[in-house]
Amino acid sequence: MKYFTAILICLLFAGCTTIGHTQKEEGDQLISEIEDYAALHKRYPESLTELNRKETIDDGLYYFRLSDSTYVVWYGLTLGESMVWRSERQTWRKEG
């Protein structure tokens, strides 16, 4: 029973790690699209629809434009915790 529990914990941890890694990669791709859009239009998009994306991304990735020159992208980690990209910081940081 101990071995089964240990294996189950390892599998759950590996699954959570993989999900977070995939969301970060998707987030990096979204950030690249946002920056390309800004280079062309001299402002950040008001919403994801300007990037020809659905407003709600199924994998839990979110975008919010704060101003013409700043935005945030984030995805949830656990209840009350998110990984957040702030354009003025240019880095991912855990918040919550």
Side-chain angles (χ1 to χ4, degrees):
M1 185 66 172
K2 281 197 274 186
Y3 295 114
F4 176 75
T5 303
I7 290 171
L8 183 60
I9 289 170
C10 288
L11 289 173
L12 288 173
F13 178 75
C16 291
T17 303
T18 302
I19 291 169
H21 185 67
T22 301
Q23 285 179 313
K24 183 181 179 305
E25 288 174 353
E26 284 291 318
D28 289 341
Q29 175 62 38
L30 177 58
I31 290 162
S32 179
E33 291 175 34
I34 292 166
E35 294 297 334
D36 289 346
Y37 181 95
L40 184 63
H41 299 283
K42 308 298 185 229
R43 66 173 178 82
Y44 291 119
E46 289 190 36
S47 69
L48 294 177
T49 56
E50 288 189 68
L51 299 175
N52 296 320
R53 285 180 171 246
K54 291 188 308 184
E55 197 60 41
T56 303
I57 298 176
D58 294 334
D59 64 0
L61 192 60
Y62 302 94
Y63 165 78
F64 185 75
R65 185 179 85 157
L66 300 169
S67 70
D68 284 349
S69 60
T70 60
Y71 68 92
V72 294
V73 171
W74 74 95
Y75 59 90
L77 296 171
T78 61
L79 185 60
E81 258 189 352
S82 297
M83 192 61 96
V84 180
W85 170 275
R86 294 185 181 278
S87 60
E88 66 272 12
R89 220 178 31 220
Q90 296 287 304
T91 187
W92 288 102
R93 186 180 294 166
K94 190 184 295 187
E95 295 183 10

XYZ file of all heavy atoms in Angstrom:
794
model
N 0.826 -1.196 0.000
C 0.000 0.000 0.000
C 0.875 1.267 0.000
O 0.542 2.239 -0.658
C -0.937 -0.037 1.217
C -1.913 1.091 1.250
S -3.056 0.941 -0.145
C -4.190 2.183 0.236
N 2.004 1.235 0.732
C 2.891 2.399 0.759
C 3.436 2.694 -0.637
O 3.539 3.843 -1.027
C 4.057 2.172 1.727
C 3.692 2.379 3.176
C 4.918 2.539 4.025
C 5.438 1.185 4.440
N 6.557 1.273 5.378
N 3.789 1.637 -1.355
C 4.342 1.817 -2.693
C 3.303 2.404 -3.635
O 3.606 3.283 -4.441
C 4.877 0.490 -3.250
C 6.042 -0.034 -2.455
C 5.936 -1.210 -1.738
C 7.240 0.668 -2.417
C 6.995 -1.689 -0.995
C 8.307 0.199 -1.683
C 8.188 -0.990 -0.970
O 9.247 -1.442 -0.246
N 2.076 1.918 -3.526
C 0.997 2.430 -4.360
C 0.781 3.921 -4.094
O 0.661 4.721 -5.019
C -0.298 1.652 -4.099
C -1.474 2.201 -4.850
C -1.601 1.973 -6.214
C -2.445 2.952 -4.203
C -2.677 2.487 -6.917
C -3.514 3.468 -4.896
C -3.635 3.238 -6.269
N 0.771 4.313 -2.830
C 0.586 5.716 -2.452
C 1.732 6.566 -2.980
O 1.518 7.644 -3.523
C 0.473 5.857 -0.920
O -0.605 5.038 -0.466
C 0.222 7.297 -0.513
N 2.953 6.073 -2.837
C 4.122 6.820 -3.314
C 4.069 7.003 -4.831
O 4.346 8.090 -5.348
C 5.400 6.102 -2.912
N 3.696 5.957 -5.547
C 3.597 6.041 -7.006
C 2.497 7.014 -7.406
O 2.675 7.839 -8.300
C 3.365 4.640 -7.619
C 4.626 3.797 -7.467
C 2.949 4.747 -9.081
C 4.449 2.339 -7.831
N 1.368 6.943 -6.721
C 0.252 7.841 -7.014
C 0.657 9.298 -6.802
O 0.381 10.159 -7.637
C -0.961 7.486 -6.150
C -2.225 8.301 -6.392
C -2.698 8.137 -7.828
C -3.306 7.872 -5.426
N 1.348 9.585 -5.728
C 1.810 10.955 -5.445
C 2.765 11.424 -6.530
O 2.668 12.548 -7.023
C 2.444 11.044 -4.043
C 1.347 10.910 -2.977
C 3.205 12.359 -3.865
C 1.861 10.750 -1.568
N 3.688 10.569 -6.942
C 4.636 10.925 -8.007
C 3.915 11.220 -9.314
O 4.231 12.183 -10.011
C 5.660 9.812 -8.214
S 6.852 9.679 -6.876
N 2.937 10.401 -9.661
C 2.194 10.610 -10.894
C 1.391 11.908 -10.850
O 1.341 12.657 -11.830
C 1.260 9.430 -11.172
C 1.934 8.131 -11.593
C 0.908 7.001 -11.669
C 2.638 8.295 -12.925
N 0.773 12.188 -9.727
C 0.018 13.432 -9.587
C 0.934 14.640 -9.689
O 0.627 15.624 -10.345
C -0.745 13.461 -8.261
C -1.956 12.537 -8.177
C -2.512 12.530 -6.753
C -3.025 12.947 -9.159
N 2.088 14.579 -9.046
C 3.055 15.677 -9.098
C 3.549 15.873 -10.529
O 3.624 16.990 -11.021
C 4.230 15.423 -8.160
C 5.257 16.509 -8.217
C 5.018 17.732 -7.620
C 6.452 16.315 -8.894
C 5.957 18.743 -7.683
C 7.402 17.320 -8.964
C 7.147 18.539 -8.355
N 3.868 14.783 -11.213
C 4.343 14.865 -12.602
C 3.270 15.469 -13.500
O 3.561 16.289 -14.367
C 4.752 13.488 -13.110
N 2.020 15.101 -13.290
C 0.923 15.654 -14.082
C 0.754 17.137 -13.862
O 0.575 17.902 -14.801
N 0.834 17.578 -12.631
C 0.703 19.003 -12.323
C 1.858 19.791 -12.912
O 1.684 20.888 -13.419
C 0.641 19.226 -10.812
S -0.880 18.610 -10.074
N 3.058 19.255 -12.842
C 4.220 19.923 -13.394
C 4.081 20.058 -14.905
O 4.358 21.097 -15.478
C 5.513 19.137 -13.050
O 5.596 19.019 -11.642
C 6.738 19.844 -13.577
N 3.620 19.028 -15.576
C 3.443 19.059 -17.021
C 2.395 20.085 -17.419
O 2.587 20.838 -18.363
C 3.029 17.660 -17.536
O 4.024 16.723 -17.153
C 2.863 17.661 -19.034
N 1.305 20.157 -16.684
C 0.250 21.124 -16.995
C 0.799 22.537 -16.891
O 0.612 23.351 -17.775
C -0.968 20.938 -16.065
C -1.669 19.628 -16.403
C -1.929 22.114 -16.170
C -2.700 19.209 -15.401
N 1.519 22.851 -15.817
C 2.090 24.182 -15.642
C 3.072 24.534 -16.737
O 3.098 25.653 -17.236
N 3.867 23.570 -17.141
C 4.855 23.805 -18.191
C 4.155 24.109 -19.511
O 4.535 25.028 -20.225
C 5.773 22.584 -18.306
C 6.885 22.762 -19.274
N 7.900 23.661 -19.056
C 7.139 22.185 -20.467
C 8.739 23.615 -20.068
N 8.304 22.727 -20.943
N 3.114 23.379 -19.832
C 2.369 23.598 -21.057
C 1.710 24.979 -21.038
O 1.744 25.696 -22.030
C 1.297 22.505 -21.242
O 1.946 21.242 -21.280
C 0.510 22.706 -22.509
N 1.130 25.373 -19.916
C 0.493 26.689 -19.822
C 1.527 27.796 -19.985
O 1.259 28.806 -20.619
C -0.251 26.838 -18.503
C -1.549 26.060 -18.486
C -2.277 26.196 -17.176
O -1.670 26.054 -16.120
N -3.561 26.451 -17.242
N 2.720 27.613 -19.425
C 3.759 28.624 -19.577
C 4.176 28.736 -21.036
O 4.352 29.841 -21.554
C 4.968 28.324 -18.705
C 6.020 29.418 -18.798
C 7.222 29.119 -17.971
C 8.263 30.201 -18.087
N 8.674 30.503 -19.452
N 4.319 27.613 -21.711
C 4.671 27.649 -23.135
C 3.583 28.353 -23.940
O 3.878 29.180 -24.808
C 4.884 26.237 -23.673
C 6.147 25.598 -23.172
C 6.281 24.144 -23.601
O 5.337 23.583 -24.183
O 7.348 23.578 -23.337
N 2.314 28.043 -23.641
C 1.196 28.719 -24.309
C 1.213 30.215 -23.982
O 0.944 31.053 -24.842
C -0.139 28.117 -23.887
C -0.431 26.792 -24.540
C -0.698 26.919 -26.024
O -1.412 27.864 -26.441
O -0.187 26.089 -26.774
N 1.521 30.543 -22.742
C 1.610 31.939 -22.329
C 2.718 32.670 -23.069
O 2.530 33.806 -23.528
N 3.866 32.020 -23.215
C 4.972 32.626 -23.957
C 4.587 32.867 -25.411
O 4.935 33.898 -25.996
C 6.220 31.740 -23.884
C 6.861 31.731 -22.502
O 6.599 32.654 -21.695
O 7.629 30.789 -22.221
N 3.849 31.923 -25.998
C 3.383 32.082 -27.376
C 2.411 33.260 -27.476
O 2.495 34.071 -28.395
C 2.710 30.793 -27.876
C 2.093 30.904 -29.245
C 3.092 31.227 -30.343
O 4.213 30.729 -30.323
N 2.708 32.059 -31.278
N 1.491 33.353 -26.523
C 0.538 34.457 -26.507
C 1.271 35.797 -26.363
O 0.963 36.760 -27.063
C -0.479 34.281 -25.382
C -1.499 35.406 -25.198
C -2.313 35.626 -26.469
C -2.410 35.099 -24.018
N 2.247 35.864 -25.482
C 3.022 37.094 -25.280
C 3.718 37.495 -26.577
O 3.743 38.670 -26.955
C 4.028 36.907 -24.125
C 3.266 36.816 -22.803
C 5.054 38.042 -24.097
C 4.066 36.225 -21.667
N 4.261 36.531 -27.281
C 4.911 36.801 -28.566
C 3.919 37.397 -29.564
O 4.224 38.371 -30.265
C 5.514 35.510 -29.113
O 6.118 35.727 -30.353
N 2.707 36.842 -29.613
C 1.667 37.367 -30.502
C 1.260 38.786 -30.100
O 1.049 39.649 -30.965
C 0.444 36.458 -30.484
C 0.673 35.114 -31.136
C -0.527 34.193 -31.002
O -1.676 34.697 -31.018
O -0.322 32.974 -30.888
N 1.159 39.034 -28.804
C 0.798 40.361 -28.298
C 1.870 41.373 -28.690
O 1.571 42.474 -29.156
C 0.599 40.333 -26.770
C -0.642 39.505 -26.418
C 0.501 41.750 -26.206
C -0.735 39.130 -24.948
N 3.129 41.015 -28.501
C 4.234 41.918 -28.823
C 4.319 42.178 -30.328
O 4.593 43.309 -30.748
C 5.557 41.359 -28.291
C 5.631 41.298 -26.765
C 5.564 42.663 -26.088
O 5.938 43.690 -26.708
O 5.128 42.712 -24.921
N 4.072 41.157 -31.146
C 4.047 41.337 -32.604
C 2.931 42.293 -33.005
O 3.114 43.170 -33.853
C 3.862 39.995 -33.323
C 5.083 39.103 -33.232
O 6.177 39.589 -32.845
O 4.936 37.897 -33.544
N 1.768 42.130 -32.388
C 0.632 43.009 -32.647
C 0.995 44.457 -32.287
O 0.727 45.381 -33.051
C -0.584 42.550 -31.837
C -1.823 43.386 -32.051
C -2.779 42.993 -32.979
C -2.043 44.557 -31.331
C -3.923 43.755 -33.187
C -3.169 45.326 -31.539
C -4.109 44.921 -32.458
O -5.231 45.687 -32.673
N 1.613 44.645 -31.130
C 1.976 45.986 -30.673
C 3.008 46.633 -31.603
O 2.950 47.844 -31.860
C 2.505 45.930 -29.244
N 3.937 45.845 -32.108
C 4.939 46.381 -33.027
C 4.279 46.901 -34.307
O 4.688 47.920 -34.866
C 5.974 45.315 -33.359
N 3.230 46.233 -34.742
C 2.530 46.599 -35.967
C 1.544 47.757 -35.747
O 1.439 48.669 -36.561
C 1.789 45.380 -36.528
C 1.066 45.539 -37.850
C 2.056 45.864 -38.975
C 0.304 44.264 -38.179
N 0.811 47.723 -34.621
C -0.275 48.683 -34.376
C 0.072 49.791 -33.378
O -0.767 50.653 -33.113
C -1.519 47.944 -33.881
C -2.039 46.950 -34.876
N -2.760 47.313 -35.982
C -1.920 45.593 -34.944
C -3.087 46.240 -36.682
N -2.581 45.183 -36.076
N 1.257 49.733 -32.787
C 1.712 50.754 -31.820
C 0.874 50.814 -30.548
O 0.802 51.825 -29.871
C 1.765 52.152 -32.455
C 2.539 52.215 -33.738
C 3.980 51.839 -33.543
C 4.746 52.028 -34.835
N 5.557 50.899 -35.207
N 0.218 49.707 -30.249
C -0.541 49.567 -29.001
C -0.806 48.085 -28.788
O -0.734 47.285 -29.724
C -1.870 50.326 -29.052
C -2.848 49.750 -30.062
C -4.221 50.406 -29.985
N -5.121 49.870 -30.978
C -5.812 48.731 -30.851
N -5.701 48.001 -29.760
N -6.615 48.310 -31.823
N -1.121 47.733 -27.548
C -1.476 46.346 -27.257
C -2.947 46.114 -27.593
O -3.750 47.049 -27.542
C -1.207 46.015 -25.787
C 0.267 45.981 -25.473
C 0.825 46.843 -24.555
C 1.099 45.069 -26.108
C 2.186 46.817 -24.283
C 2.456 45.034 -25.840
C 2.993 45.908 -24.932
O 4.330 45.871 -24.666
N -3.307 44.887 -27.963
C -4.715 44.618 -28.304
C -5.630 44.815 -27.098
O -5.237 44.566 -25.959
C -4.699 43.151 -28.749
C -3.464 42.567 -28.192
C -2.478 43.682 -28.046
N -6.842 45.267 -27.374
C -7.815 45.450 -26.298
C -8.296 44.113 -25.751
O -8.647 44.016 -24.583
C -8.997 46.284 -26.788
C -8.621 47.725 -27.008
C -9.822 48.595 -27.260
O -10.887 48.347 -26.654
O -9.691 49.532 -28.051
N -8.339 43.119 -26.621
C -8.791 41.792 -26.207
C -8.140 40.747 -27.095
O -7.502 41.069 -28.106
C -10.317 41.688 -26.303
O -10.700 41.707 -27.661
N -8.340 39.485 -26.739
C -7.774 38.390 -27.524
C -8.413 38.274 -28.903
O -7.799 37.736 -29.823
C -7.922 37.072 -26.764
C -7.109 36.969 -25.478
C -7.407 35.652 -24.772
C -5.630 37.103 -25.767
N -9.618 38.795 -29.067
C -10.266 38.712 -30.374
C -9.492 39.505 -31.435
O -9.546 39.162 -32.610
C -11.730 39.183 -30.325
O -11.782 40.506 -29.794
C -12.574 38.262 -29.471
N -8.767 40.535 -31.038
C -7.934 41.281 -31.989
C -6.757 40.438 -32.481
O -6.138 40.770 -33.487
C -7.429 42.580 -31.369
C -8.514 43.617 -31.201
C -7.970 44.953 -30.793
O -7.282 45.602 -31.611
O -8.220 45.357 -29.640
N -6.455 39.366 -31.772
C -5.400 38.435 -32.191
C -5.993 37.219 -32.892
O -5.309 36.230 -33.121
C -4.592 37.959 -30.974
C -3.852 39.026 -30.178
C -3.212 38.402 -28.944
C -2.822 39.720 -31.038
N -7.283 37.303 -33.201
C -8.017 36.177 -33.796
C -8.012 34.951 -32.893
O -7.904 33.819 -33.352
C -7.473 35.834 -35.189
C -7.686 36.953 -36.162
O -8.737 37.591 -36.156
N -6.698 37.224 -36.993
N -8.122 35.191 -31.599
C -8.241 34.125 -30.598
C -9.577 34.265 -29.899
O -10.134 35.355 -29.836
C -7.137 34.232 -29.542
C -5.776 33.780 -30.002
C -4.803 33.944 -28.837
N -3.528 33.350 -29.090
C -3.048 32.303 -28.431
N -3.763 31.736 -27.492
N -1.855 31.838 -28.702
N -10.043 33.155 -29.334
C -11.266 33.209 -28.530
C -11.000 34.049 -27.286
O -9.890 34.065 -26.759
C -11.691 31.807 -28.093
C -12.180 30.942 -29.220
C -12.778 29.646 -28.725
C -11.854 28.922 -27.794
N -12.341 27.624 -27.347
N -12.028 34.723 -26.828
C -11.888 35.557 -25.626
C -11.544 34.721 -24.401
O -10.796 35.140 -23.544
C -13.176 36.352 -25.394
C -13.015 37.502 -24.452
C -11.987 38.530 -24.911
O -11.927 38.848 -26.102
O -11.232 39.018 -24.057
N -12.101 33.514 -24.327
C -11.796 32.606 -23.228
C -10.944 31.473 -23.775
O -11.366 30.749 -24.664
C -13.081 32.015 -22.622
O -13.913 33.090 -22.199
C -12.765 31.120 -21.438
N -9.761 31.346 -23.258
C -8.866 30.280 -23.704
C -9.129 29.057 -22.835
O -9.115 29.133 -21.612
C -7.392 30.726 -23.621
C -7.173 31.921 -24.544
C -6.463 29.585 -23.988
C -5.797 32.512 -24.486
N -9.389 27.927 -23.480
C -9.798 26.711 -22.775
C -8.773 26.213 -21.756
O -9.142 25.582 -20.785
C -10.101 25.595 -23.774
C -11.310 25.928 -24.635
O -12.165 26.698 -24.179
O -11.372 25.411 -25.758
N -7.497 26.500 -21.969
C -6.484 25.974 -21.053
C -6.244 26.873 -19.838
O -5.307 26.671 -19.089
C -5.176 25.688 -21.791
C -4.536 26.942 -22.364
O -5.096 28.037 -22.197
O -3.469 26.819 -22.978
N -7.102 27.873 -19.635
C -7.001 28.700 -18.437
C -5.989 29.821 -18.526
O -5.498 30.302 -17.516
N -5.670 30.269 -19.714
C -4.736 31.364 -19.934
C -5.542 32.641 -20.173
O -6.493 32.641 -20.957
C -3.885 31.036 -21.164
C -2.663 31.889 -21.447
C -1.668 31.819 -20.301
C -2.008 31.405 -22.728
N -5.174 33.727 -19.500
C -5.954 34.956 -19.563
C -5.079 36.153 -19.929
O -3.898 36.184 -19.612
C -6.620 35.235 -18.206
C -7.514 34.108 -17.783
C -7.049 33.095 -16.948
C -8.826 34.026 -18.239
C -7.861 32.044 -16.577
C -9.651 32.987 -17.867
C -9.155 31.997 -17.035
O -9.974 30.955 -16.670
N -5.704 37.140 -20.559
C -5.037 38.379 -20.973
C -5.894 39.556 -20.549
O -7.119 39.519 -20.673
C -4.865 38.391 -22.496
C -4.516 39.744 -23.075
C -3.226 40.243 -22.992
C -5.485 40.522 -23.710
C -2.905 41.489 -23.532
C -5.174 41.764 -24.252
C -3.881 42.241 -24.161
O -3.563 43.465 -24.689
N -5.233 40.619 -20.062
C -5.943 41.848 -19.742
C -5.036 43.025 -20.070
O -3.909 43.114 -19.579
C -6.338 41.893 -18.263
C -7.176 43.090 -17.916
C -8.511 43.151 -18.278
C -6.620 44.160 -17.247
C -9.285 44.264 -17.972
C -7.383 45.275 -16.932
C -8.719 45.324 -17.292
N -5.529 43.916 -20.932
C -4.770 45.124 -21.264
C -5.033 46.172 -20.197
O -6.184 46.525 -19.919
C -5.187 45.659 -22.628
C -4.311 46.846 -23.054
C -4.721 47.338 -24.407
N -5.818 48.279 -24.237
C -6.131 49.218 -25.123
N -5.460 49.297 -26.239
N -7.122 50.025 -24.896
N -3.987 46.653 -19.580
C -4.110 47.683 -18.557
C -4.143 49.072 -19.182
O -4.820 49.965 -18.685
C -2.949 47.576 -17.566
C -2.852 46.241 -16.812
C -1.535 46.137 -16.066
C -4.021 46.078 -15.870
N -3.364 49.259 -20.262
C -3.312 50.524 -20.995
C -2.767 50.231 -22.389
O -2.476 49.077 -22.708
C -2.405 51.534 -20.266
O -1.050 51.129 -20.360
N -2.589 51.263 -23.200
C -2.008 51.052 -24.524
C -0.598 50.481 -24.442
O -0.116 49.874 -25.388
C -1.961 52.360 -25.313
C -3.330 52.767 -25.848
O -4.264 51.941 -25.793
O -3.451 53.910 -26.321
N 0.059 50.676 -23.293
C 1.465 50.273 -23.186
C 1.743 49.210 -22.117
O 2.899 48.855 -21.906
C 2.334 51.502 -22.910
O 1.930 52.109 -21.695
N 0.722 48.708 -21.438
C 0.935 47.665 -20.422
C -0.187 46.628 -20.449
O -1.327 46.944 -20.790
C 1.022 48.251 -18.990
O -0.190 48.930 -18.702
C 2.205 49.175 -18.826
N 0.158 45.400 -20.081
C -0.807 44.308 -20.038
C -0.323 43.224 -19.082
O 0.831 43.238 -18.643
C -1.025 43.707 -21.439
C 0.180 42.978 -21.982
C 0.344 41.613 -21.784
C 1.153 43.654 -22.698
C 1.455 40.946 -22.276
C 2.257 42.999 -23.201
C 2.404 41.645 -22.991
O 3.503 40.990 -23.482
N -1.227 42.312 -18.756
C -0.876 41.128 -17.973
C -1.425 39.888 -18.679
O -2.453 39.945 -19.344
C -1.403 41.181 -16.517
C -0.738 42.277 -15.724
C -2.906 41.318 -16.472
N -0.706 38.796 -18.531
C -1.134 37.468 -18.963
C -0.979 36.591 -17.740
O 0.011 36.724 -17.000
C -0.270 36.937 -20.123
C -0.579 35.476 -20.432
C -0.448 37.790 -21.371
N -1.938 35.704 -17.460
C -1.817 34.848 -16.296
C -2.550 33.536 -16.480
O -3.398 33.406 -17.339
C -2.290 35.559 -15.035
C -3.776 35.709 -14.905
C -4.637 34.891 -14.236
C -4.593 36.748 -15.459
N -5.929 35.353 -14.332
C -5.938 36.493 -15.083
C -4.326 37.872 -16.241
C -6.982 37.316 -15.457
C -5.374 38.686 -16.630
C -6.681 38.406 -16.219
N -2.156 32.577 -15.640
C -2.871 31.303 -15.541
C -2.813 30.847 -14.095
O -1.890 31.183 -13.353
C -2.308 30.237 -16.496
C -0.851 29.898 -16.290
C -0.468 28.878 -15.418
C 0.141 30.564 -16.988
C 0.861 28.548 -15.235
C 1.476 30.238 -16.816
C 1.833 29.229 -15.941
O 3.157 28.907 -15.773
N -3.840 30.113 -13.684
C -3.946 29.659 -12.310
C -3.024 28.485 -12.019
O -2.792 27.629 -12.876
N -2.509 28.472 -10.795
C -1.703 27.350 -10.312
C -2.517 26.520 -9.333
O -2.777 25.355 -9.556
C -0.424 27.862 -9.647
C 0.555 28.613 -10.558
C 1.664 29.243 -9.734
C 1.120 27.682 -11.612
N -2.892 27.131 -8.235
C -3.756 26.523 -7.234
C -4.759 27.588 -6.824
O -4.653 28.742 -7.253
C -2.961 26.054 -5.990
O -2.329 27.195 -5.393
C -1.918 25.013 -6.347
N -5.698 27.226 -5.990
C -6.692 28.187 -5.542
C -6.004 29.391 -4.909
O -5.247 29.256 -3.950
C -7.653 27.535 -4.537
C -8.814 28.398 -4.073
C -9.680 28.809 -5.263
C -9.646 27.666 -3.058
N -6.200 30.559 -5.486
C -5.626 31.781 -4.951
C -4.213 32.085 -5.410
O -3.645 33.102 -5.022
N -3.617 31.236 -6.254
C -2.264 31.458 -6.749
C -2.242 31.403 -8.266
O -2.840 30.519 -8.868
C -1.304 30.380 -6.233
C -0.445 30.816 -5.113
C 0.624 29.779 -4.788
O 0.606 28.665 -5.319
O 1.467 30.135 -3.993
N -1.546 32.354 -8.862
C -1.431 32.400 -10.321
C 0.006 32.685 -10.709
O 0.770 33.281 -9.948
C -2.307 33.520 -10.896
O -3.659 33.266 -10.626
N 0.345 32.278 -11.922
C 1.612 32.668 -12.532
C 1.271 33.830 -13.447
O 0.385 33.716 -14.301
C 2.210 31.500 -13.315
C 3.631 31.751 -13.730
S 4.731 31.992 -12.320
C 5.378 30.363 -12.123
N 1.935 34.979 -13.235
C 1.542 36.225 -13.894
C 2.727 36.822 -14.656
O 3.831 36.914 -14.123
C 1.031 37.256 -12.857
C 0.613 38.548 -13.527
C -0.112 36.671 -12.037
N 2.468 37.221 -15.899
C 3.423 37.980 -16.718
C 2.924 39.415 -16.762
O 1.782 39.679 -17.134
C 3.468 37.421 -18.140
C 4.248 38.287 -19.094
C 3.784 39.364 -19.792
C 5.613 38.151 -19.446
N 4.775 39.897 -20.558
C 5.921 39.169 -20.368
C 6.619 37.256 -19.082
C 7.181 39.323 -20.914
C 7.864 37.414 -19.639
C 8.138 38.422 -20.540
N 3.739 40.339 -16.315
C 3.402 41.764 -16.397
C 4.350 42.395 -17.412
O 5.564 42.244 -17.296
C 3.540 42.443 -15.039
C 2.524 41.940 -14.029
C 2.587 42.711 -12.709
N 1.615 42.192 -11.778
C 0.327 42.524 -11.763
N -0.137 43.387 -12.645
N -0.494 41.993 -10.883
N 3.799 43.085 -18.389
C 4.610 43.615 -19.480
C 5.682 44.585 -18.997
O 6.780 44.614 -19.550
C 3.726 44.296 -20.524
O 3.000 45.370 -19.950
N 5.394 45.345 -17.958
C 6.398 46.291 -17.470
C 7.568 45.587 -16.772
O 8.659 46.120 -16.684
C 5.767 47.351 -16.539
C 5.218 46.823 -15.230
C 3.767 46.344 -15.304
O 3.225 46.193 -16.414
O 3.181 46.105 -14.236
N 7.354 44.361 -16.307
C 8.379 43.579 -15.623
C 9.113 42.643 -16.583
O 10.248 42.264 -16.338
C 7.680 42.749 -14.542
C 8.385 42.630 -13.274
C 7.651 41.848 -12.206
N 6.778 40.793 -12.647
C 5.592 40.523 -12.112
N 5.147 41.263 -11.121
N 4.866 39.528 -12.541
N 8.404 42.209 -17.634
C 8.937 41.298 -18.652
C 9.414 39.962 -18.088
O 10.413 39.392 -18.545
C 10.086 41.972 -19.424
C 9.670 43.183 -20.222
C 8.873 42.789 -21.449
O 9.332 42.009 -22.269
N 7.676 43.319 -21.573
N 8.675 39.449 -17.094
C 9.022 38.151 -16.518
C 7.797 37.529 -15.876
O 6.853 38.219 -15.506
C 10.159 38.289 -15.493
O 10.577 36.984 -15.077
C 9.737 39.072 -14.270
N 7.813 36.192 -15.767
C 6.761 35.458 -15.059
C 7.060 35.494 -13.569
O 8.210 35.369 -13.157
C 6.725 34.000 -15.504
C 6.181 33.794 -16.873
C 6.904 33.561 -18.007
C 4.801 33.774 -17.276
N 6.065 33.408 -19.081
C 4.765 33.527 -18.660
C 3.612 33.948 -16.594
C 3.575 33.447 -19.378
C 2.420 33.870 -17.311
C 2.412 33.613 -18.683
N 6.015 35.644 -12.756
C 6.169 35.636 -11.296
C 4.921 35.039 -10.664
O 3.799 35.319 -11.091
C 6.381 37.036 -10.778
C 6.682 37.090 -9.281
C 6.897 38.478 -8.770
N 8.110 39.026 -9.360
C 8.426 40.317 -9.319
N 7.620 41.181 -8.750
N 9.539 40.744 -9.861
N 5.120 34.213 -9.641
C 3.999 33.645 -8.909
C 3.400 34.733 -8.024
O 4.119 35.432 -7.303
C 4.469 32.474 -8.044
C 3.324 31.674 -7.435
C 3.798 30.582 -6.508
C 4.576 29.529 -7.250
N 4.908 28.370 -6.385
N 2.073 34.888 -8.099
C 1.367 35.890 -7.290
C 0.146 35.246 -6.677
O -0.396 34.278 -7.177
C 0.926 37.074 -8.158
C 2.077 37.864 -8.729
C 1.628 39.073 -9.520
O 0.425 39.432 -9.491
O 2.489 39.687 -10.183
N -0.292 35.830 -5.582
C -1.525 35.340 -4.979
C -1.498 35.233 -3.525
O -0.870 35.547 -2.683
